[in-house]
């Protein structure tokens, strides 16, 4: 059963702690993406990776970090530097990072920082 | 930077009513356009997409969208909605000059009353 998995579904952390969100895909896609979804603001791109061992900042990368050591995995770390980390985080992938490629989304992780 | 506007944040209508959701973008060059839908508790999924050719695009579940280049618009329509169309709808634009990243609108929450 191919797809994108994100875990956990809900995550609670104390302010000042780093937290890592998991994203795994078994679609054999080269490109992977992280978005943040806030009410009324749609999805905003945090980081994306076109290929293993390579990634680029998106529109709101400050306070976040990523790694892409394996094709199927693209974990996102929300650091203590992120001023407003409470949000819904969506991971996506596409066959390649080029035009006309559909992005497929995971179920998301809702992060609540107390 | 390019932007995407969805003018209606919330829409409430009854079953069998017609639906039209507006989407406008700010970019004068070639774009790829997408509509995604997020049903309650489900993954974000692709409804339809436009790359080139016939500006009237048909998608899944009876949805269609019309690309009007002169108006920078890509409005989504469905002639007769069902209760199961209750969801949040997102318009997205992909621009080659912006690294093929997707830029999303703020989303429109649609509630269909049975």
């Amino acid at each position: 059963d191919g797809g994108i998995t994100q875990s956990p579904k809900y995550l609670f952390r104390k302010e000042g702690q780093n937290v890592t969100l998991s994203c795994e895909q078994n679609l054999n896609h080269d490109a992977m993406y992280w978005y943040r979804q806030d009410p009324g603001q749609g999805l905003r791109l945090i980081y994306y990776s076109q290929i293993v061992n390579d990634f680029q900042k998106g529109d709101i990368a400050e306070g976040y970090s990523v790694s892409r050591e394996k094709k199927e995995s693209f974990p996102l770390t929300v650091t203590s530097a992120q001023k407003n980390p409470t949000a819904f985080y969506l991971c996506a992938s596409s066959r390649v990072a080029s035009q006309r490629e559909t992005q497929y989304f995971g179920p998301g992780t809702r992060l609540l920082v107390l | 930077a390019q932007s995407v506007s969805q003018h209606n944040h919330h829409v409430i209508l009854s079953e069998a009513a017609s639906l039209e959701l507006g989407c406008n973008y700010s970019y004068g060059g070639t774009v790829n356009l997408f509509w995604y839908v997020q049903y309650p508790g489900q993954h974000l999924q692709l409804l339809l997409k436009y790359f080139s050719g016939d500006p009237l695009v048909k998608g899944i579940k009876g949805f269609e969208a019309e690309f009007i280049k002169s108006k920078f618009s890509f409005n989504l329509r469905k002639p007769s909605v069902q209760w199961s169309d209750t969801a949040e709808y997102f318009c997205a634009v992909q621009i080659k000059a912006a690294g093929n990243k997707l830029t999303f609108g703020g989303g429109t929450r649609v509630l269909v009353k049975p």
Side-chain angles (χ1 to χ4, degrees):
Chain A
D1 193 17
I4 302 171
T5 56
Q6 292 184 244
S7 60
K9 190 172 182 180
Y10 297 96
L11 193 53
F12 299 92
R13 279 295 180 269
K14 291 183 180 179
E15 196 172 337
Q17 290 182 332
N18 290 357
V19 59
T20 297
L21 281 59
S22 165
C23 177
E24 305 278 330
Q25 53 98 0
N26 62 4
L27 301 167
N28 200 32
H29 285 174
D30 281 334
M32 296 187 75
Y33 311 81
W34 273 106
Y35 293 90
R36 172 184 169 133
Q37 184 179 1
D38 296 282
Q41 297 191 55
L43 280 71
R44 293 179 290 166
L45 183 65
I46 304 172
Y47 267 98
Y48 64 105
S49 168
Q50 299 185 42
I51 201 164
V52 175
N53 293 322
D54 181 63
F55 49 83
Q56 286 85 40
K57 292 182 179 179
D59 299 319
I60 55 164
E62 186 176 348
Y64 299 98
S65 66
V66 293
S67 62
R68 187 84 187 278
E69 297 175 2
K70 297 187 295 183
K71 186 176 185 177
E72 59 270 23
S73 178
F74 190 41
L76 173 75
T77 297
V78 184
T79 75
S80 56
Q82 167 50 232
K83 295 201 180 350
N84 186 19
T86 293
F88 188 50
Y89 291 88
L90 285 168
C91 178
S93 71
S94 62
R95 193 174 59 88
V96 292
S98 66
Q99 281 203 309
R100 305 192 174 195
E101 288 293 333
T102 299
Q103 290 185 20
Y104 297 88
F105 286 81
T109 293
R110 193 166 295 279
L111 174 64
L112 180 60
V113 176
L114 306 172
Chain B
Q2 68 278 3
S3 65
V4 181
S5 298
Q6 293 181 241
H7 310 294
N8 305 103
H9 297 296
H10 294 90
V11 172
I12 302 174
L13 58 167
S14 300
E15 277 194 313
S18 65
L19 173 70
E20 180 160 0
L21 302 181
C23 173
N24 287 89
Y25 62 93
S26 62
Y27 182 72
T30 302
V31 295
N32 296 325
L33 297 155
F34 304 79
W35 274 99
Y36 281 85
V37 60
Q38 192 171 36
Y39 297 104
Q42 295 189 27
H43 299 204
L44 199 68
Q45 58 185 282
L46 183 69
L47 259 185
L48 48 78
K49 57 190 176 185
Y50 171 79
F51 295 151
S52 63
D54 188 345
L56 186 61
V57 179
K58 295 194 185 299
I60 60 172
K61 305 189 181 189
F63 284 90
E64 65 179 30
E66 184 175 13
F67 171 51
I68 303 179
K69 190 173 181 179
S70 60
K71 294 185 179 180
F72 302 94
S73 71
F74 190 55
N75 293 354
L76 181 71
R77 298 194 292 251
K78 186 169 183 178
S80 176
V81 295
Q82 300 172 314
W83 175 78
S84 59
D85 293 320
T86 293
E88 189 161 16
Y89 294 80
F90 294 93
C91 180
V93 172
Q94 184 186 50
I95 297 168
K96 186 176 182 181
N100 296 315
K101 295 179 292 184
L102 284 180
T103 299
F104 284 83
T108 299
R109 286 185 184 270
V110 174
L111 173 63
V112 180
K113 298 184 293 183

